[in-house]
Amino acid sequence: MWTALCIVAFTVWYGLHIAYNSPFFLAAPPTCLLWKRLQAIAGTLKSSSPEVPDYKMPKESVKFWIFKTILFYGTMLIIDILFLIDDVFYGDYQKCSLDDAVFIVGGFRTGTTNLHRAIHLDEERFVSPRFHEIIMPYLWMGKIFDWLEKRDPKTIKNIEAKLQDAIGKDTMARHPMSWHGAEEDDLLLASWNFAGWYVCVLFAHPEAIIHSGLQDQLPESAQKKMFELYKRSLQKVLYRRGNGRALLSKNHMINFMPILAKELPNAKFVDIVRHPKDAYLSWYGLSQSALSVLSRAPIQKEVAVSAHLRFWDYFTKAETDFFIEGKGYGSTKDNR
């Protein structure tokens, strides 16, 4: 009896994915990045740079990430079904176009947030993702939140307060976030796919951060999967709140820009440049504060300094290649 029910359930689950063009386990990280993370947790991931020593995560971080990894993969089938619900009931969101999107990118603490939120004030032309749409990229959940807010605005205020408490007062003071405010969307891939430089505020291992940040060096299959999760999540924002407006995105995924340029040749890219020396103290304070909450412990100070300088070497190289040298797929420099 149970065997027959399992077979029927599997057949329905598989058939719905095929019928509604829903990728299997879209939220699951690429195997290569999962392996690096497991090595970091086990203390066996070695540094690939002579300037950054081998690093072992503090015990509190190791225990936290063992629990979180088991929980994440233990609920992956449920997560997959939650994504599938959107494709079954709101499949038209896939028709929303990102062709005229504007992507703001820059290093950490360079002024990207100020520019993003200033341009976002033009609400007749642009719409940007919100924090909850990034960490919970489900249309059906957004519909529930909309209903709750209409029924009793205090409910959303209470949820917002709990999220802000979970992030931490120090982090909130350095990077204020609100329920309705425009937010950077690299947290999407950092949280779900372990990809992008934003991983550095979530996972306290300098070598794992480098592998996550170099998205354009990942296998092509991993790049396609990341883009699909990113594209679908932002299409949901346009479907729910776009009303004909263009997407305005802001993130720090400079190594993701060539992938976006290839897939979205009509999109526009805006870069902000600030000298790393001017941005360092601000970024060090924010990243270490965030890691203390989101990874249960920051990176050791001496290692964090070397790792941050290494990050800037990689970031500046990718930034120069994309915006000055004009490298990248399927896109010309006139849209950068």
Side-chain angles (χ1 to χ4, degrees), residues 86-144:
D86 279 350
D87 292 334
V88 172
F89 292 99
Y90 305 106
D92 283 349
Y93 79 84
Q94 298 178 46
K95 297 178 182 178
C96 294
S97 174
L98 301 179
D99 284 348
D100 57 351
V102 177
F103 296 96
I104 299 172
V105 64
F108 296 105
R109 315 305 284 175
T110 58
T112 50
T113 297
N114 289 337
L115 178 62
H116 178 214
R117 293 178 179 175
I119 297 177
H120 182 257
L121 293 174
D122 185 357
E123 296 182 351
E124 293 184 1
R125 297 176 59 193
F126 298 109
V127 60
S128 291
R130 296 169 177 170
F131 179 72
H132 66 89
E133 294 171 325
I134 297 166
I135 61 172
M136 297 175 286
Y138 309 120
L139 264 173
W140 61 266
M141 186 172 288
K143 299 283 187 179
I144 292 175

Side-chain angles (χ1 to χ4, degrees), residues 6 57 59 87 100 125 139 141 156 200 241 266 284 296 302 311 325 329 336:
C6 289
M57 299 169 66
K59 290 183 179 179
D87 292 334
D100 57 351
R125 297 176 59 193
L139 264 173
M141 186 172 288
I156 296 301
C200 64
R241 299 191 293 109
N266 295 322
Y284 177 82
R296 296 299 185 266
E302 292 75 12
F311 152 75
E325 300 297 332
Y329 319 106
R336 307 180 191 180

Side-chain angles (χ1 to χ4, degrees), residues 64 165-171 201-202 287-298:
F64 174 74
D165 288 341
I167 293 168
K169 291 183 179 180
D170 191 19
T171 303
V201 302
L202 302 177
S287 62
Q288 295 291 76
S289 172
L291 286 172
S292 297
V293 175
L294 302 176
S295 194
R296 296 299 185 266

Side-chain angles (χ1 to χ4, degrees), residues 108 110 273-281 308-309 312-313 316:
F108 296 105
T110 58
V273 179
R274 185 184 182 193
H275 198 289
K277 288 183 178 180
D278 296 328
Y280 174 73
L281 287 178
H308 189 72
L309 294 175
W312 272 111
D313 287 340
T316 304

Side-chain angles (χ1 to χ4, degrees), residues 87-312:
D87 292 334
V88 172
F89 292 99
Y90 305 106
D92 283 349
Y93 79 84
Q94 298 178 46
K95 297 178 182 178
C96 294
S97 174
L98 301 179
D99 284 348
D100 57 351
V102 177
F103 296 96
I104 299 172
V105 64
F108 296 105
R109 315 305 284 175
T110 58
T112 50
T113 297
N114 289 337
L115 178 62
H116 178 214
R117 293 178 179 175
I119 297 177
H120 182 257
L121 293 174
D122 185 357
E123 296 182 351
E124 293 184 1
R125 297 176 59 193
F126 298 109
V127 60
S128 291
R130 296 169 177 170
F131 179 72
H132 66 89
E133 294 171 325
I134 297 166
I135 61 172
M136 297 175 286
Y138 309 120
L139 264 173
W140 61 266
M141 186 172 288
K143 299 283 187 179
I144 292 175
F145 287 142
D146 291 341
W147 177 79
L148 287 173
E149 189 167 25
K150 289 180 181 178
R151 181 175 177 271
D152 184 4
K154 291 182 180 179
T155 302
I156 296 301
K157 285 290 184 181
N158 291 334
I159 296 174
E160 178 186 53
K162 291 184 182 299
L163 286 173
Q164 291 173 342
D165 288 341
I167 293 168
K169 291 183 179 180
D170 191 19
T171 303
M172 284 295 301
R174 297 173 187 274
H175 182 80
M177 289 178 277
S178 64
W179 187 263
H180 295 107
E183 197 50 67
E184 51 203 18
D185 56 43
D186 35 4
L187 182 58
L188 171 73
L189 294 186
S191 300
W192 294 100
N193 281 176
F194 303 166
W197 293 112
Y198 208 84
V199 168
C200 64
V201 302
L202 302 177
F203 192 73
H205 195 286
E207 185 64 24
I209 292 169
I210 295 297
H211 288 281
S212 295
L214 299 176
Q215 293 165 278
D216 53 344
Q217 297 183 23
L218 294 174
E220 185 175 355
S221 59
Q223 294 184 29
K224 288 183 177 179
K225 187 175 184 181
M226 284 188 302
F227 174 76
E228 194 65 25
L229 173 61
Y230 185 79
K231 178 189 72 172
R232 287 178 180 244
S233 298
L234 297 186
Q235 283 177 319
K236 292 176 185 181
V237 174
L238 293 178
Y239 180 83
R240 178 167 163 249
R241 299 191 293 109
N243 299 319
R245 295 175 292 177
L247 174 76
L248 177 65
S249 163
K250 174 253 177 171
N251 61 65
H252 311 91
M253 298 185 293
I254 187 63
N255 295 81
F256 193 53
M257 295 302 110
I259 301 170
L260 291 178
K262 176 183 178 181
E263 300 290 346
L264 304 171
N266 295 322
K268 293 180 173 57
F269 301 87
V270 180
D271 186 33
I272 291 185
V273 179
R274 185 184 182 193
H275 198 289
K277 288 183 178 180
D278 296 328
Y280 174 73
L281 287 178
S282 178
W283 171 238
Y284 177 82
L286 176 60
S287 62
Q288 295 291 76
S289 172
L291 286 172
S292 297
V293 175
L294 302 176
S295 194
R296 296 299 185 266
I299 297 175
Q300 183 183 346
K301 181 179 180 180
E302 292 75 12
V303 177
V305 172
S306 299
H308 189 72
L309 294 175
R310 188 184 181 199
F311 152 75
W312 272 111

